[in-house]
Amino acid sequence: MTLSDTKPWWQGSFGYQIYIRSFADSNNDGYGDFQGIRSKIPYLKDLGIDFLWITPFYPSPMADWGYDVAEYCDIDPTFGNLDDFDALVEQAHESGIKIVADLVPNHTSDQHKWFKEARKGPENEFRDYYIWKDPAPDGGPPNNWVAYFGGPAWTFDETSGQYYMHLFLPEQPDLNWRNPKILEEFDQILRFWLERGVDGFRIDVAGGLMKDEQFRSNPEITPWDPEGDRWEQFESFEHRYDIFQKENHEIFRRWRSIFDEYGAYLHGETYILEPSGLAELLPGDGMHGGFWFEPMHIEWDPSEIRRSIVEVSELVGERILWAAGSHDMPRSPTRFGNNDLGRSRTLALNVVFSFLPGVPVIYQGEELGLIDGDVPEEHKLDPVALNDKQFGGRDGCRTPMPWSSGSNNGFSETQPWLISKQRDVSETAEAQIGKPESWHSFYKELLHTRRSLPDLTGLAVTWLDSGQGPVIWYERGPVGVVVNTSSETETVKLSLNSEIVYKTSQMELSESQEVAIPAAGAFVYLRD
Ligand code: GLC
Ligand code: CA
């Protein structure tokens, strides 16, 4: 057996996040669906994608657009049925593309049969599937925990006079992971999908599952304003007791042994912005990997970029999932300028991610350089749109994929579920595919260049920049990556016999081995 036979499939792979409702609508009802994804497999294969992470597709009342699951082992009719799912898995596999699903184990929908039962009263056999507590002596919530979406993490239940806990909406009650029955239920759920051919799972809210056994209040850092911005509310507390409890690891270790039976990829939404914190969440026998979110929070500034990649890369290495955007944050080109400069910067960041240890993932439409869609205020659908003062909610990054210049940008013949302004023709896949120097072509070439280069797994990164100044520069094995973060041209000098194998704009090696890099430009070279 050679080393490459034993290497897990995700090492060296490149992922693509599909927000299923907005990807491709096959039956023109306004919602993306599985048949729609199937119709785009050739597009994704051509782009050079290795795996798809598909956001939740289970039956759901859609209070949080699918992250409120009412049944874990089925498909919401909006997206198709289990046969459609099986057909997608088969077709993707035939094209060499793996399928990663999204597991939501922290909470269910309040319409899940477990919660409907649990709600009947303290004697119900499902009561302990959730977290119930008596009121504080003053009748208020049992402790000071707040929800990620703002407001208290507790909702009063009239029937029993107790509170139940939720890290997100009241329609998303948290499961009680100290109940061994929950562990057993989820073993079955995971096997159900792994048996159907799923190649991995992204674990939603991976830090949330276990809560402090004594439900102690969190230390308050700044006075909590229950009416304030949702991020400010959450950051008013040090989250010592509600999230990132050490006991979570026992769950991941258990799941890891199941995943390893199937050779499947177990990774999580590990929303912690400290490199050492991320490293602690990923000891060797737990999840294979975790998403790193700091790059979604930085300004375009060389020291911030370095801060968001160098240390974590050293501490966490191959276990990192790199992403510039997702369905939860404004699109990266929007954050970095909302124009062509923002698009170039996002591409440059993806070039940096692409040759570091770890797994890069782009969010649907990133390959078209998409900025946020324009959703008129009255059409916003995100439940946090109103109290997310920082970003105005998550609708802008969730608008339908612009496939063509047709009505609704070729996404659907019907008005899409989320209404947004028609995109400019130049933003569509149709206009960009095959066109030299389109964003699509730059991304496609990046992915294909990456595939054509030697496998870098296990090789260390050497930073060649001074740690200051606008140029970011590293080498890993035979490959070098250089990015100019400034708004002026910068020149670097390569060693003899270097060869440029990828560039985001016109750049040439001069006879003296110098390369002038335009603002936000990036290139990749092979050294001698
Ligand atoms: C994760 C998802 C987000 C969802 C939340 C609650 O953060 O990415 O979209 O709202 O979990 O499930
Ligand atoms: Ca549809």
Side-chain angles (χ1 to χ4, degrees):
M1 228 187 216
T2 64
L3 183 67
S4 63
D5 289 331
T6 56
K7 204 178 85 168
W9 70 255
W10 59 90
Q11 273 191 4
S13 68
F14 201 108
Y16 186 95
Q17 182 191 350
I18 289 191
Y19 191 70
I20 183 168
R21 318 178 65 75
S22 292
F23 189 61
D25 177 14
S26 69
N27 59 348
N28 293 307
D29 62 357
Y31 303 94
D33 47 55
F34 281 115
Q35 293 296 345
I37 301 178
R38 287 187 66 194
S39 72
K40 300 299 178 189
I41 291 288
Y43 169 86
L44 296 160
K45 184 179 160 68
D46 172 67
L47 184 58
I49 294 299
D50 297 304
F51 72 91
L52 305 177
W53 151 34
I54 307 174
T55 52
F57 41 68
Y58 318 102
S60 164
M62 306 290 171
D64 189 22
W65 301 114
Y67 282 96
D68 46 327
V69 177
E71 157 68 65
Y72 284 94
C73 295
D74 207 347
I75 303 282
D76 194 277
T78 312
F79 308 125
N81 57 35
L82 282 167
D83 290 338
D84 298 323
F85 177 81
D86 292 343
L88 168 68
V89 171
E90 196 185 328
Q91 188 188 338
H93 286 174
E94 277 165 10
S95 297
I97 295 176
K98 308 265 190 206
I99 300 288
V100 168
D102 201 326
L103 185 76
V104 190
N106 180 68
H107 44 268
T108 70
S109 159
D110 63 351
Q111 298 306 307
H112 194 291
K113 66 171 189 285
W114 299 337
F115 193 71
K116 286 196 200 161
E117 284 297 316
R119 219 173 195 173
K120 289 181 180 163
E123 304 309 321
N124 189 279
E125 57 170 319
F126 290 96
R127 186 73 169 182
D128 278 346
Y129 273 40
Y130 296 88
I131 298 167
W132 301 90
K133 292 277 170 239
D134 289 332
D138 68 357
N143 67 22
N144 70 359
W145 294 359
V146 292
Y148 273 100
F149 288 170
W154 299 93
T155 289
F156 187 68
D157 173 57
E158 299 282 345
T159 316
S160 60
Q162 287 193 308
Y163 281 86
Y164 67 87
M165 209 228 112
H166 49 88
L167 277 178
F168 293 88
L169 299 172
E171 293 87 346
Q172 293 168 295
D174 277 33
L175 286 164
N176 171 17
W177 277 94
R178 293 188 188 269
N179 180 350
K181 285 196 190 137
I182 296 294
L183 288 160
E184 284 160 26
E185 296 276 10
F186 275 81
D187 288 354
Q188 298 310 314
I189 292 165
L190 287 169
R191 286 187 190 278
F192 175 87
W193 293 104
L194 291 165
E195 286 293 330
R196 288 197 108 87
V198 158
D199 302 290
F201 271 99
R202 171 249 192 203
I203 307 299
D204 187 58
V205 197
L209 311 189
M210 286 285 200
K211 279 80 182 173
D212 177 46
E213 206 159 10
Q214 298 164 50
F215 288 85
R216 282 168 281 191
S217 278
N218 282 322
E220 193 169 337
I221 303 168
T222 50
W224 172 48
D225 170 11
E227 304 302 319
D229 169 76
R230 67 145 169 145
W231 301 87
E232 280 172 17
Q233 288 194 48
F234 203 70
E235 281 155 22
S236 293
F237 296 90
E238 182 203 322
H239 292 275
R240 194 183 294 173
Y241 298 117
D242 51 350
I243 52 176
F244 297 123
Q245 304 298 295
K246 290 228 174 336
E247 295 102 312
N248 285 334
H249 185 57
E250 296 308 315
I251 303 171
F252 301 137
R253 187 182 293 154
R254 176 182 178 121
W255 288 353
R256 171 68 174 271
S257 64
I258 298 178
F259 277 63
D260 282 350
E261 275 178 47
Y262 294 86
Y265 186 19
L266 170 60
H267 60 268
E269 182 197 21
T270 38
Y271 202 94
I272 195 157
L273 301 179
E274 279 293 317
S276 58
L278 184 63
E280 267 173 43
L281 291 183
L282 299 171
D285 56 351
M287 289 189 285
H288 295 115
F291 272 95
W292 171 239
F293 288 94
E294 184 66 13
M296 295 192 204
H297 290 275
I298 56 169
E299 298 284 322
W300 189 260
D301 169 272
S303 63
E304 291 216 13
I305 299 170
R306 278 193 196 93
R307 188 171 53 72
S308 75
I309 53 181
V310 179
E311 189 187 347
V312 75
S313 172
E314 273 156 19
L315 281 176
V316 188
E318 297 290 356
R319 292 171 178 276
I320 303 173
L321 286 101
W322 298 102
S326 78
H327 66 299
D328 286 330
M329 289 294 279
R331 286 181 176 274
S332 171
T334 290
R335 280 185 290 112
F336 292 142
N338 211 32
N339 52 15
D340 272 349
L341 190 57
R343 295 179 166 106
S344 299
R345 289 168 168 177
T346 303
L347 174 61
L349 196 57
N350 276 313
V351 175
V352 173
F353 293 162
S354 289
F355 302 91
L356 288 173
V359 175
V361 180
I362 54 171
Y363 175 51
Q364 68 184 41
E366 209 162 306
E367 75 280 18
L368 303 176
L370 286 192
I371 54 172
D372 272 2
D374 192 343
V375 182
E377 211 56 41
E378 67 276 19
H379 292 306
K380 285 194 171 171
L381 294 176
D382 182 9
V384 301
L386 286 180
N387 71 346
D388 179 354
K389 304 212 167 73
Q390 204 176 339
F391 300 120
R394 304 169 291 179
D395 293 299
C397 62
R398 296 177 173 182
T399 58
M401 270 290 277
W403 292 108
S404 72
S405 55
S407 62
N408 304 310
N409 281 130
F411 166 75
S412 176
E413 283 167 22
T414 324
Q415 182 160 281
W417 70 283
L418 178 60
I419 297 173
S420 60
K421 291 207 183 115
Q422 181 89 352
R423 299 256 188 189
D424 189 75
V425 185
S426 64
E427 293 182 279
T428 64
E430 187 183 46
Q432 294 193 23
I433 293 171
K435 189 174 162 222
E437 312 228 323
S438 68
W439 299 106
H440 182 272
S441 296
F442 282 127
Y443 277 91
K444 177 176 166 180
E445 206 189 314
L446 172 64
L447 269 62
H448 286 266
T449 303
R450 191 173 179 273
R451 283 188 169 196
S452 69
L453 294 178
D455 181 8
L456 302 180
T457 308
L459 299 179
V461 178
T462 310
W463 296 93
L464 295 187
D465 58 66
S466 61
Q468 274 157 11
V471 172
I472 294 189
W473 185 356
Y474 68 85
E475 282 183 354
R476 187 167 174 226
V479 175
V481 176
V482 190
V483 170
N484 172 14
T485 64
S486 85
S487 39
E488 271 140 55
T489 301
E490 293 286 331
T491 301
V492 295
K493 190 171 162 74
L494 305 185
S495 57
L496 220 59
N497 296 327
S498 301
E499 178 202 352
I500 296 184
V501 291
Y502 175 80
K503 55 192 176 187
T504 62
S505 47
Q506 280 315 313
M507 284 176 241
E508 303 300 335
L509 250 182
S510 74
E511 267 176 34
S512 56
Q513 298 291 308
E514 287 188 351
V515 187
I517 325 164
F523 72 93
V524 180
Y525 63 93
L526 272 180
R527 63 196 186 115
D528 177 19

